[in-house]
Amino acid sequence: METVFYCFIFGMVSSVTMDSGLKSEQLMSGNIAFARGSISAGIGFCTGYPGTPSTEIIETLMLYQSKTNNIIEWAVNEKVALEAAAGASWMGIPSVCVMKSLGLNVASDFLLNLNLSGTGTGGLVIIVCDDPKGHSSSNEQDSRFYAKAANIPLLEPSTPQEAYDVMDFALKLSQDFQIPVLIRSTTRLSHSSALVKTENISSGKWIAHQNLPKGLYNVPHPDLRHLDLLGRIEKIREQFNSFTLNTIPIDWNDIVIISTGVCQKYVEEAQLYIEEAVSLLGLVTTFPLPDKLVRQALEEAKTIIFFEETDSFVEDEFRAIASTQDHTCRIEGKRTNLVPAHGEMNVDVVLESLREFVTLMKQPTMPEGIHDAEKHLISRPLTFCAGCTHRNVFYALSRVRKRLKGNLIVTGDIGCYSLGVFYNDVLESMQAMGSGIGTASGIGQLSKFGLESKVVSVAGDSTFFHACIPALIDARHHNADLTFLILNNATTAMTGFQSHPGSMKIGEMKHMVRIPDIVQSIKPDVFTRIDSTDVSQLTDLIYSTIKESGLKVLLLDGVCRLEEKRRQKQGDASRIIVKSELCRGTDCKICVRDYGCTAITWNKQTEKAEILQYQCVRCGSCISVCPHGAIEEE
Amino acid sequence: MDYPYNIIFAGVGGQGNVIAGRVLAKAVQLEELRPVVGETFGASRRGGSVFTHIRVWDKDASPLVPKGTLNLLIGLEPIESLRASVKFAGSDTIAILSKTPIYSSNVHRGTEHYPDVERIVAIHQKICMKVIAIDTDKILRSIDAFRSLNVLLIGVMAGMRISPLSIDSIRAALINVLGSSEKNLEAFDIGVSQTTQ
């Protein structure tokens, strides 16, 4: 995400700020529209944890905070975020909680209790941003199933304008039924921009109740709470039948396409290339499914085709209602293998799927020679930034692995350092937030079964706060034999430098929580803190530490070069150069091939390494990487 | 307009790809048309591949350009330009591309070979209707404005008068979005003069 993302956030937001106050239409991304819609709906409290593609919603709300005077903050993780937002809602404050797809997995434990207990009078809207195709995620999960699991209403806007408009409805719905409302976005809505009509921004006034509402527990009769919830969801279904943001066909043709979210736009555009008239039923209210619309579609259409991302969620709900109904309608979609059930949708996928049902008019022509051209492409693999200290840690680990003749297990976590999986395969696992240390805790107990390899787990500072602490306590409690490396750059770098409890830049009224205090309270056998700039010192320390037995924790201080650049820190360090007379050339190549900093290049003419001065951050980390002393300060 | 007019900026993170999209979107607004801007990038740290899709229409298009319907490709980097043309080019595509490569980490390592730039231009010529390849490094060096690559190519596009966006709208949008930086305006005007002279 980083730079690109960062430009994205600030490019977008600054222009919105510039235009704010006008009633004209402004270009904004789905995420900015969600934020602006939240302000317009009157939210007083918003929290979440950063994660692509959701991050800009809270970033945008923070930009307006001085005007709106509400509480906008980053939580330590998504579960705590949802709990905090529910707390505010219980006390009468309208709340929004924002997270990416995988974040809802973290928050789901609380969600599946809160649905039964209710949100009180404030109102609570959850925005979850899914990432079909997993552009910036480790899976492409369809989070809509949580709406069904929790029996809570689900809304899927299709454009930035709908993202803006849906917020007010969602909040009122939550307040009316005292139920959490889930809004589901996808990357393509969150990160695409279109013109949006907005209201002026003004400050709200919120007054908290002095007492909690009654009955914020589901015992002794969770079943009766469930029954009550089922009753509420049926009333909501009734409301959804006449919801104005759903697009209902004026004329019902034989072929009716039902689509949700941004797929509505793909289907609309696909109609440009279709000869026959087909009808589009676009649904924003996707759980509970409006039953009268389902019945009407079954009566009017001969064929119904579904387009949605990513799983067959609406299609399955539709099929369930259709099964209670007499009809002769043919229902097509992911269940009939007509539409792919993985990856992202677009106009091309829609047209390809419709091929056997319609006549395609103007076929976009692909030039000849495209396949030949494709052969000339080279890859652009993801890599650490020039001077990134994460690279130093992984390089050190690759040296240590060599010294241990390969008997080193390295489990990993979620953050920029996840790129360690692409860095000479140093990092061997990357699952959920906090899972690196959790899995290592299990592996670190297997000496009983003959495990002799050393176990290392890697996590970043924001991830440490998010999900590593219980696993670290577990490792201590069970006396797991492992070394836990905390890669500390004091920011949530991956998503664009959001603050966390251990960040350097703590705002007013916030308290900094120090990682060493937490780690030392768990009493590991070894706790050492060092800077990770000097690669040879780092390699020696990691090697000597993992040779000891017990729970060892190394806090490795590093620098995010993008963060540094953002703050326009100008170093006065000397240039780093390669002395070509000392460089061993093709016989060695350790600096470009193994260490691989993007500021070091291979000069084919001279067959020597060279420093790209425009890339180099002059950290000097590569100096000790060269075994021949060819890299030095000028 | 029967169909949307489709533009893609193809480049790598940090080249001002996204902000260039914003400039054109503003120009679309000034023409009283409706812009929709989509971005495709992975977990893009500095150096990742980034495409910005700009749809120009009298109604709201979907956020991604369908295959084969690309009208104008602006390649900020040769191989990324080729990546976009392989994916989206059609019989009407006009490509304006920079001949200045940005090497990937594998090229720096020497494990992958960056194709000859003139070869990349020639391949573009096979699959696009028209190709304008610019030695951007030379031009930007002459005016000491390395960060204005995106604006230079927007200038070239404006000067060619091929899109529904007029030179005046694009220039006004540029000032609106990026401010009236002299370097940017100089780069824009040089871009315009590349094709109008």
Side-chain angles (χ1 to χ4, degrees):
Chain A
M1 287 134 264
E2 307 283 284
T3 316
V4 174
F5 210 35
Y6 200 70
C7 300
F8 175 78
I9 296 165
F10 281 78
M12 295 295 185
V13 176
S14 60
S15 129
V16 171
T17 314
M18 185 176 66
D19 292 344
S20 74
L22 299 175
K23 286 250 174 173
S24 62
E25 287 180 303
Q26 300 155 40
L27 186 79
M28 59 177 81
S29 68
N31 277 352
I32 293 174
F34 279 125
R36 290 291 302 270
S38 302
I39 294 170
S40 164
I43 61 136
F45 191 99
C46 177
T47 183
Y49 185 80
T52 314
S54 72
T55 313
E56 301 87 350
I57 299 173
I58 289 182
E59 298 265 7
T60 305
L61 285 168
M62 282 177 168
L63 285 178
Y64 289 110
Q65 208 170 356
S66 60
K67 260 189 179 174
T68 51
N69 203 28
N70 43 17
I71 298 175
I72 314 291
E73 61 190 29
W74 292 116
V76 73
N77 68 31
E78 294 85 354
K79 178 167 177 279
V80 175
L82 187 58
E83 289 158 351
S89 173
W90 283 341
M91 303 312 284
I93 309 297
S95 300
V96 169
C97 188
V98 183
M99 57 198 72
K100 75 175 288 173
S101 50
L102 292 120
L104 192 50
N105 304 341
V106 178
S108 63
D109 191 6
F110 179 65
L111 180 63
L112 273 81
N113 281 285
L114 182 68
N115 58 341
L116 300 179
S117 294
T119 52
T121 55
L124 172 56
V125 178
I126 303 162
I127 305 175
V128 63
C129 300
D130 278 357
D131 188 15
K133 200 174 164 68
H135 294 288
S136 310
S137 308
S138 57
N139 71 14
E140 61 161 0
Q141 73 178 54
D142 189 331
S143 301
R144 298 179 296 174
F145 289 96
Y146 282 111
K148 191 175 175 177
N151 257 304
I152 59 171
L154 173 67
L155 302 165
E156 290 185 71
S158 71
T159 60
Q161 182 70 59
E162 283 185 2
Y164 181 88
D165 293 338
V166 85
M167 287 307 302
D168 188 58
F169 172 79
L171 187 63
K172 288 203 174 78
L173 184 70
S174 174
Q175 290 164 339
D176 289 350
F177 290 91
Q178 303 205 1
I179 195 168
V181 173
L182 185 63
I183 295 179
R184 189 258 194 157
S185 180
T186 55
T187 305
R188 216 44 74 201
L189 172 61
S190 283
H191 283 177
S192 299
S193 306
L195 298 178
V196 178
K197 283 196 187 82
T198 57
E199 304 276 325
N200 285 337
I201 287 169
S202 56
S203 164
K205 267 195 179 152
W206 300 275
I207 296 163
H209 302 326
Q210 294 305 318
N211 299 101
L212 281 170
K214 298 268 179 248
L216 295 178
Y217 43 85
N218 305 323
V219 291
H221 296 298
D223 57 327
L224 297 182
R225 287 294 178 100
H226 186 199
L227 181 65
D228 172 64
L229 178 62
L230 291 172
R232 278 184 286 159
I233 210 77
E234 284 314 309
K235 284 187 185 138
I236 291 168
R237 191 193 299 277
E238 188 50 44
Q239 264 201 21
F240 279 4
N241 274 314
S242 54
F243 181 58
T244 51
L245 290 183
N246 289 333
T247 308
I248 298 157
I250 301 163
D251 299 311
W252 292 85
N253 294 296
D254 285 353
I255 295 177
V256 173
I257 296 176
I258 300 182
S259 68
T260 69
V262 74
C263 295
Q264 278 196 53
K265 297 304 291 182
Y266 301 138
V267 171
E268 249 179 62
E269 196 172 319
Q271 286 175 310
L272 287 176
Y273 305 100
I274 296 172
E275 211 159 279
E276 296 84 353
V278 296
S279 305
L280 168 62
L281 172 56
L283 292 176
V284 173
T285 58
T286 50
F287 188 87
L289 208 53
D291 56 337
K292 283 183 187 152
L293 285 179
V294 172
R295 294 202 169 89
Q296 192 178 0
L298 285 168
E299 278 165 25
E300 305 273 5
K302 287 195 173 127
T303 305
I304 293 175
I305 306 169
F306 285 88
F307 289 100
E308 56 186 319
E309 283 173 325
T310 309
D311 295 327
S312 61
F313 179 79
V314 171
E315 183 185 337
D316 285 2
E317 289 298 302
F318 188 97
R319 285 180 187 278
I321 296 175
S323 71
T324 64
Q325 187 93 348
D326 281 338
H327 70 88
T328 53
C329 203
R330 179 173 173 188
I331 303 172
E332 291 282 345
K334 294 174 196 283
R335 289 293 173 199
T336 54
N337 292 324
L338 181 78
V339 181
H342 73 281
E344 211 181 354
M345 288 285 155
N346 54 41
V347 174
D348 302 310
V349 174
V350 171
L351 287 174
E352 189 53 40
S353 305
L354 289 177
R355 194 170 282 274
E356 64 170 285
F357 296 90
V358 297
T359 322
L360 300 181
M361 296 197 294
K362 182 190 173 226
Q363 295 257 32
T365 44
M366 299 291 283
E368 283 174 36
I370 279 217
H371 293 296
D372 183 54
E374 211 162 5
K375 289 178 205 147
H376 297 274
L377 290 175
I378 57 165
S379 66
R380 205 173 279 282
L382 296 175
T383 180
F384 298 112
C385 302
C388 176
T389 43
H390 294 337
R391 178 188 288 106
N392 295 351
V393 174
F394 287 112
Y395 183 72
L397 282 169
S398 69
R399 300 275 114 180
V400 170
R401 182 172 277 158
K402 251 187 194 159
R403 284 193 208 174
L404 292 169
K405 300 190 170 52
N407 294 323
L408 179 72
I409 289 163
V410 185
T411 65
D413 231 293
I414 307 288
C416 284
Y417 49 88
S418 299
L419 284 177
V421 299
F422 303 129
Y423 186 84
N424 304 327
D425 300 317
V426 175
L427 196 59
E428 297 170 288
S429 78
M430 177 202 144
Q431 301 286 317
M433 292 285 283
S435 295
I437 178 69
T439 51
S441 176
I443 300 165
Q445 295 175 58
L446 300 181
S447 62
K448 188 176 173 181
F449 300 144
L451 180 78
E452 287 175 2
S453 292
K454 298 295 178 189
V455 182
V456 169
S457 173
V458 178
D461 45 345
S462 191
T463 304
F464 174 81
F465 285 105
H466 182 289
C468 292
I469 297 169
L472 185 62
I473 294 172
D474 186 79
R476 170 73 296 182
H477 179 56
H478 297 299
N479 205 25
D481 186 4
L482 65 89
T483 307
F484 183 37
L485 309 183
I486 304 168
L487 276 48
N488 179 34
N489 56 17
T491 186
T492 317
M494 179 87 176
T495 45
F497 321 110
Q498 293 72 31
S499 64
H500 62 65
S503 292
M504 288 180 293
K505 46 172 177 94
I506 292 286
E508 278 172 54
M509 310 292 289
K510 306 270 183 204
H511 193 90
M512 184 175 176
V513 180
R514 289 171 204 280
I515 295 175
D517 294 346
I518 297 173
V519 173
Q520 281 170 316
S521 72
I522 293 167
K523 299 200 187 318
D525 297 305
V526 174
F527 175 69
T528 311
R529 177 175 194 164
I530 64 155
D531 185 89
S532 45
T533 309
D534 186 327
V535 179
S536 79
Q537 189 190 26
L538 190 62
T539 310
D540 291 341
L541 177 74
I542 294 175
Y543 183 69
S544 62
T545 305
I546 65 173
K547 297 280 271 188
E548 294 188 37
S549 62
L551 177 68
K552 291 88 55 182
V553 180
L554 298 181
L555 180 59
L556 307 176
D557 292 320
V559 184
C560 174
R561 301 295 171 188
L562 288 172
E563 166 80 340
E564 210 175 51
K565 205 166 215 173
R566 190 172 72 102
R567 293 173 173 217
Q568 296 188 316
K569 276 194 199 168
Q570 293 291 341
D572 50 5
S574 320
R575 278 160 42 114
I576 307 297
I577 52 161
V578 178
K579 288 207 121 175
S580 60
E581 63 274 23
L582 295 177
C583 176
R584 295 289 174 91
T586 23
D587 293 342
C588 171
K589 273 188 148 180
I590 284 178
C591 59
V592 287
R593 190 196 54 217
D594 296 347
Y595 183 62
C597 178
T598 47
I600 312 177
T601 191
W602 188 249
N603 185 325
K604 267 190 236 141
Q605 271 80 48
T606 60
E607 297 208 313
K608 305 271 173 175
E610 232 174 65
I611 306 291
L612 297 167
Q613 294 300 337
Y614 69 91
Q615 283 268 359
C616 179
V617 299
R618 305 182 183 183
C619 63
S621 289
C622 55
I623 292 173
S624 69
V625 168
C626 178
H628 311 294
I631 305 180
E632 59 175 40
E633 276 187 18
E634 196 173 46
Chain B
M1 290 174 83
D2 290 342
Y3 295 92
Y5 186 86
N6 299 320
I7 306 169
I8 289 180
F9 280 94
V12 301
Q15 282 195 300
N17 191 319
V18 173
I19 204 78
R22 279 203 53 83
V23 170
L24 291 197
K26 189 76 204 175
V28 176
Q29 268 182 282
L30 294 175
E31 296 286 350
E32 299 190 346
L33 291 166
R34 301 190 67 82
V36 172
V37 183
E39 272 117 30
T40 57
F41 51 88
S44 300
R45 288 143 194 95
R46 180 165 287 282
S49 172
V50 182
F51 296 165
T52 301
H53 300 227
I54 300 126
R55 321 285 318 271
V56 186
W57 208 12
D58 46 18
K59 39 193 166 284
D60 287 353
S62 76
L64 298 175
V65 173
K67 278 191 170 102
T69 70
L70 181 59
N71 299 96
L72 176 58
L73 167 64
I74 302 185
L76 300 169
E77 201 280 337
I79 211 83
E80 293 314 317
S81 182
L82 186 62
R83 207 185 302 284
S85 62
V86 160
K87 239 178 153 179
F88 299 102
S91 46
D92 299 334
T93 306
I94 296 175
I96 300 170
L97 66 127
S98 163
K99 292 205 279 185
T100 310
I102 294 179
Y103 292 156
S104 66
S105 53
N106 285 347
V107 172
H108 285 308
R109 284 173 172 204
T111 55
E112 228 172 345
H113 171 69
Y114 196 98
D116 180 63
V117 172
E118 291 306 331
R119 185 82 205 273
I120 299 178
V121 174
I123 301 166
H124 274 86
Q125 280 160 346
K126 277 190 191 161
I127 54 179
C128 298
M129 185 177 81
K130 187 174 181 183
V131 180
I132 295 100
I134 311 266
D135 188 347
T136 52
D137 192 51
K138 191 174 152 197
I139 296 171
L140 294 172
R141 200 181 288 272
S142 72
I143 58 166
D144 190 27
F146 289 99
R147 297 186 59 78
S148 301
L149 170 68
N150 50 2
V151 178
L152 173 67
L153 294 185
I154 288 174
V156 176
M157 160 212 172
M160 289 174 71
R161 295 186 170 84
I162 42 175
S163 76
L165 312 176
S166 70
I167 298 184
D168 289 348
S169 302
I170 298 174
R171 202 169 201 279
L174 190 69
I175 294 170
N176 181 294
V177 175
L178 293 174
S180 42
S181 132
E182 275 181 31
K183 285 278 179 235
N184 275 333
L185 290 176
E186 198 181 348
F188 179 77
D189 291 337
I190 290 183
V192 171
S193 70
Q194 291 294 302
T195 44
T196 48
Q197 68 195 357

